[in-house]
Amino acid sequence: MTVEMLITSMEQASREEPPAPHSEPMQKQLDQPSGDTSESRQSLQGWLNRFMRIKMTDGRILVGAFVCTDRDRNIILGSCDEYVNTPASNDKEEPRVLGLAMVPGQHILSIEIDDFER
């Protein structure tokens, strides 16, 4: 997956009208997919809780579970680990545990679905 594909999906999903408020509990609304869900919104929903690897402009790599995004292309990752690439280091680096992290959309270079089992 490329950044352009994710950006396109997020932009298409953000142009859609939000669903009308219901009296049902929020969890029940989330469990019942609506019939008018667009393809871009379905792809975003398919990425929920999947691990992603995000490369940032400053060289860091963040790996965490996709929680949400917004109209500004910011991404929230849960259970996030940070890896800092140092050119002089060839050994396996230990990640820095961040937990819940917000990644500004303007600093994202690439996004990959990380299929590695945790």
Side-chain angles (χ1 to χ4, degrees):
M1 168 194 329
T2 65
V3 174
E4 290 80 23
M5 290 172 52
L6 180 67
I7 290 170
T8 302
S9 293
M10 289 189 292
E11 287 174 346
Q12 289 174 351
S14 68
R15 281 189 224 120
E16 298 168 6
E17 291 295 318
H22 300 285
S23 59
E24 300 176 35
M26 180 58 84
Q27 186 60 40
K28 196 169 188 179
Q29 291 178 28
L30 294 174
D31 291 341
Q32 299 173 353
S34 64
D36 62 343
T37 305
S38 71
E39 185 178 329
S40 57
R41 188 169 294 209
Q42 285 177 350
S43 66
L44 283 174
Q45 287 174 342
W47 297 334
L48 286 174
N49 299 317
R50 296 206 40 206
F51 275 81
M52 294 186 156
R53 179 178 291 122
I54 298 179
K55 293 181 184 175
M56 298 180 58
T57 55
D58 61 2
R60 291 180 292 163
I61 297 174
L62 302 178
V63 178
F66 177 69
V67 176
C68 68
T69 187
D70 62 11
R71 291 176 188 243
D72 296 324
R73 295 175 285 210
N74 300 316
I75 294 178
I76 304 289
L77 294 177
S79 304
C80 185
D81 294 331
E82 174 187 53
Y83 296 87
V84 179
N85 289 338
T86 55
S89 175
N90 289 335
D91 46 38
K92 186 166 173 87
E93 102 184 69
E94 288 293 318
R96 180 176 147 198
V97 178
L98 299 179
L100 192 64
M102 192 278 289
V103 185
Q106 64 188 7
H107 296 296
I108 296 174
L109 289 179
S110 68
I111 300 171
E112 301 173 18
I113 299 294
D114 188 14
D115 292 328
F116 179 71
E117 287 294 320
R118 302 256 177 239

